[in-house]
Amino acid sequence: MEQQTIRSSGTLSAFLAQNALPVQNQKVVVSPRFVDPQSGKPMEWELRALTSQEDESLRRACTKNVPVPGKKGHYLPQLDTNQYMAKMAVACTVYPDLNDSVLQDSYHVMGAENLLKTMLLAGEYTDYLQQVQSICGFDTSFQDKVDQAKN
């Protein structure tokens, strides 16, 4: 009986969709090489977080079944992490539009993933992937979130 009282104290309404705080897009400077011609300041890129469903879809698209050596007919799923991270980065990028044909043509590439890898230097690309993971919530542990909620 006491357990029911605790659960029905009205706090369930905090979990309703209309009461959840919206996830805001974030603007980040990815490279000092892309400069606004008017202000001379580095251009900001806009990133958005992925939903769990979007993430699951990306993971499925990047997973293939690999045969188990010595066990005929047995397969294990294997995630291509490089492909997954590239697809995640593209899916999270709001601006610039990596699917823009003029932008792709200027770098002589086809496809948003190829464009992103061509636009950015190796270190910039690695930093960008970390920023993408961060906005999607992959940078903090559950304990970090608990500690933050306590403060």
Side-chain angles (χ1 to χ4, degrees):
M1 184 80 154
E2 192 173 325
Q3 185 89 5
Q4 279 183 318
T5 306
I6 292 171
R7 274 195 250 146
S8 64
S9 66
T11 57
L12 184 63
S13 65
F15 296 100
L16 298 176
Q18 66 268 25
N19 294 333
L21 297 175
V23 178
Q24 300 294 321
N25 289 357
Q26 292 183 12
K27 293 187 178 184
V28 297
V29 173
V30 175
S31 172
R33 297 180 306 111
F34 305 109
V35 180
D36 183 328
Q38 294 175 354
S39 70
K41 294 181 180 178
M43 292 293 295
E44 291 182 324
W45 294 36
E46 186 175 349
L47 299 175
R48 71 176 187 90
L50 296 180
T51 65
S52 295
Q53 293 94 342
E54 290 171 317
D55 183 61
E56 184 178 335
S57 178
L58 288 177
R59 286 181 187 275
R60 280 192 189 136
C62 299
T63 301
K64 59 183 176 182
N65 288 324
V66 178
V68 177
K71 295 195 174 188
K72 188 175 181 177
H74 288 94
Y75 297 87
L76 288 175
Q78 184 176 26
L79 178 67
D80 182 337
T81 54
N82 290 329
Q83 182 186 31
Y84 167 71
M85 291 302 301
K87 286 184 179 297
M88 179 193 285
V90 167
C92 290
T93 304
V94 175
Y95 182 81
D97 180 2
L98 299 175
N99 291 304
D100 184 88
S101 62
V102 174
L103 189 56
Q104 289 181 15
D105 288 347
S106 75
Y107 284 92
H108 308 290
V109 297
M110 289 182 66
E113 293 165 36
N114 289 332
L115 174 62
L116 187 59
K117 290 177 184 179
T118 304
M119 286 177 74
L120 301 177
L121 301 174
E124 293 171 340
Y125 182 72
T126 299
D127 290 344
Y128 191 64
L129 295 179
Q130 289 174 343
Q131 290 174 327
V132 165
Q133 287 178 318
S134 177
I135 194 170
C136 288
F138 291 121
D139 66 333
T140 54
S141 70
F142 182 73
Q143 187 59 47
D144 291 338
K145 291 178 184 179
V146 169
D147 292 342
Q148 184 180 16
K150 288 181 181 178
N151 292 332

